[in-house]
DNA sequence: TCAAAAGTGTTATCCTTACACCCATGT
DNA sequence: ACATGGGTGTAAGGATAACACTTTTGA
């Protein structure tokens, strides 16, 4: 046991910074979409979270509503010639405003540029059924016996078109990686002749992005995080489209509304908007109080008599 | 952006290693329970997970069934005189066997030695109602206006006796920390005259432990991780007591059994055991297949027509 | 014979799912 | 008038919560 001596390890911070722009879920990137914003962990940051907040807000000039740690990766650059190891701590950040672009070649990119098979808002993506699934099938067939059965089960469990689970975005990417169907899986970069559609990123940034998307998709189900991405006032239709954008799935209108109402997540502002294309809609605002009121979480354990 | 130069940062690994010993959930500790096992992150470990696995298995001589990353902390030792920062990456590990004790002063300690207010298996803990809650109440009263209301709401949300939520173990500890009711909250160590009951740990190890417990309590509800802590064959009663030990709550027998059955989590071995104290019980084993079959997770989103 | 735990059966309730319809605006 | 989205009511089904009771052993 005990505190380690300083080692040749560099610690870097990564951010998956998300915003909704025109019903599209977008992520802030650099270098024409090839990288997530990253920065060194400065020793003078009081906490990790503060570090992330500081440099993201500095770069984008917008306050970060919500920040949560995603994961720490260190199994990268294994064959680095630099002689030291990089530990990268990744964060998910949600922001309400469009960040000032231009600086440092910042730019917003849709989630689904990187993961086209994850957008089911217009039904099962053709890319999935026509390209991804057949490729995975070949990968399954290429193995034999036990390995084949295991591959089969993993594909079925994660890519089942008849019971699609949007939360498994990370696992699906990892499976494609293992199957050698994404460019990042090979080194040198060009070894994969014909990857599956979907823009790659450098290093493991696409994996980090997948981690963020999966986490966000899981979280919207039991925590009111969508509101971090919404303007102060919004219609229920906008709210629904926001959730649909993140989940990559269409929702049932009436049931969605009942859910939102009965959980007391929102309250009417009294105002209306006519920018709907149809009947004018009531405007609502998020009830911030409930975050404190209900620490919440759904118990699935069959408790004994109270 | 870009890769950081090496900085004076040390990376250490922490493990919350859990086993069930005689219906008590226990954690592996050093130094008479004051520390969690920790080790430096060796640059030659291929991955972080492999690093944890390697040194835990080396120290305990038992295979680690399940390992998952918990959290990365870096806001510690802020005033360290050593001149460098420590980033510690913590892991949760589940093991089926009792680790070989003796070496390095390893020892198992019950969760509830550190968090006595978390064990509701015999009803609301007296420590909670007689000591913790009154102290929190004083803390609430000590503030005024807005601050008071916020404190009030946080206490109610996390410590509500009438709707106890076992998953909030971490938040409760953090609240006690903020309220200055645990010794770790002060430096020098002796500044808190009369802390709430519950054994402290050095550094922030108790917080890490709370993180592990909270994660485990959340996870048993939607992933079959309990089985990592069970012997290969077990009775349904044993299984129930295992979940009860982790959750710190009593469960409803019949409903628990139905849940286990209808999810196809277990299968009969055909054998019986008479070590029950009553009627002999059927032995079951975990159906490992289902982990692959169902990538699972409960959708709470009201999806539109399939 | 009695305590202790295993094991079975059934009902009430709530939440989720699904269906079908009306309303108010812009073009 | 009609297309477009906003907004409402209600019934069916399934999962959960809660009830009470029988069975088989060891002491």
């Amino acid at each position: 046991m005990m505190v380690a001596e300083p080692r040749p390890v560099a610690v870097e911070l990564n951010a998956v910074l998300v915003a909704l722009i025109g019903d599209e879920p977008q992520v802030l990137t650099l270098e024409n979409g090839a990288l997530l914003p990253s920065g060194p962990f400065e020793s003078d940051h009081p906490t990790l979270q503060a570090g992330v907040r500081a440099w993201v807000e500095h770069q984008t000039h917008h306050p970060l509503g919500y920040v949560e740690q995603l994961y720490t990766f260190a199994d990268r650059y294994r064959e680095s010639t630099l002689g030291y190891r990089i530990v990268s701590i990744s964060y998910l950040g949600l922001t309400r405003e469009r960040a000032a672009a231009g600086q440092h070649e910042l730019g917003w990119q849709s989630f689904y540029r990187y993961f086209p098979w994850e957008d089911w808002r217009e039904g099962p993506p053709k890319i999935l059924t026509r390209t991804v699934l057949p490729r995975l099938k070949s990968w399954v067939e290429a193995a034999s016996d036990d390995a084949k059965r295991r591959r089969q089960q993993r594909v079925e469990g994660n890519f089942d078109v008849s019971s699609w689970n949007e939360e498994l975005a990370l696992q699906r990417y990892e499976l494609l990686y293992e199957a050698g169907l994404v460019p990042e899986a090979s080194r040198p970069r060009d070894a994969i002749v014909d990857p599956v559609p979907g823009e790659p990123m450098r290093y493991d940034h696409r994996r980090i992005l997948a981690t963020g998307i999966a986490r966000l998709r899981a979280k919207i189900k039991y925590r009111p995080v969508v509101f971090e991405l919404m303007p102060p006032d919004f219609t229920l239709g906008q709210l629904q489209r926001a959730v649909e954008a993140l989940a990559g799935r269409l929702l049932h209108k009436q049931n969605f509304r009942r859910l939102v109402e009965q959980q007391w997540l929102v309250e009417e502002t009294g105002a209306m908007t006519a920018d709907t294309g149809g009947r004018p809609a009531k405007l609502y605002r998020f009830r911030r109080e409930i975050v404190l009121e209900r620490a919440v979480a759904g118990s699935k354990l069959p408790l004994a008599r109270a």
Side-chain angles (χ1 to χ4, degrees), chain A residues 7-21:
Chain A
R7 282 170 174 281
V9 174
V11 177
E12 107 183 354
L13 298 173
N14 272 290
V16 176
L17 189 59
V18 175
L20 280 169
I21 305 174

Side-chain angles (χ1 to χ4, degrees), chain A residues 109-263:
Chain A
Q109 307 290 342
S110 167
F111 285 4
Y112 304 120
R113 173 181 176 182
Y114 302 101
F115 307 101
W117 56 87
E118 294 288 345
D119 187 1
W120 281 57
R121 284 175 296 175
E122 307 190 332
K126 293 201 171 60
I127 278 180
L128 179 67
T129 48
R130 292 192 190 158
T131 308
V132 178
L133 291 179
R135 295 304 196 69
L136 283 169
K137 193 169 168 124
S138 307
W139 176 68
V140 169
E141 300 299 337
S144 56
D145 303 331
D146 255 32
K148 186 171 179 176
R149 270 207 4 269
R150 276 197 304 274
R151 287 184 178 185
Q152 176 81 35
Q153 282 187 313
R154 289 187 60 199
V155 171
E156 278 175 5
N158 292 300
F159 281 90
D160 185 359
V161 176
S162 65
S163 68
W164 187 255
N165 185 342
E166 67 280 350
E167 282 183 45
L168 305 181
L170 172 61
Q171 294 173 52
R172 280 188 286 266
Y173 174 75
E174 288 178 336
L175 196 52
L176 291 175
Y177 188 103
E178 268 185 65
L181 298 176
V182 296
E184 294 97 323
S186 71
R187 180 179 4 218
R189 285 289 293 300
D190 51 6
I192 292 189
V193 276
D194 189 18
V196 135
E199 189 71 15
M201 295 181 97
R202 290 225 278 281
Y203 309 116
D204 57 355
H205 285 199
R206 203 171 166 204
R207 184 185 177 196
I208 295 175
L209 175 55
T211 308
I213 293 173
R215 180 80 128 260
L216 189 50
R217 284 182 167 185
K219 203 128 197 172
I220 48 175
K221 293 181 184 171
Y222 59 98
R223 282 289 157 90
V225 286
V226 220
F227 300 102
E228 304 291 343
L229 299 166
M230 303 292 295
D233 295 358
F234 48 84
T235 69
L236 293 182
Q238 280 168 22
L239 184 62
Q240 180 173 346
R241 281 191 300 277
V243 175
E244 287 174 335
L246 299 174
R249 313 199 67 172
L250 291 182
L251 303 182
H252 191 275
K253 185 176 58 162
Q254 303 87 317
N255 293 339
F256 175 79
R257 281 160 189 249
R258 182 186 12 255
L259 209 69
V260 170
E261 273 171 24
Q262 78 181 21
Q263 293 187 194

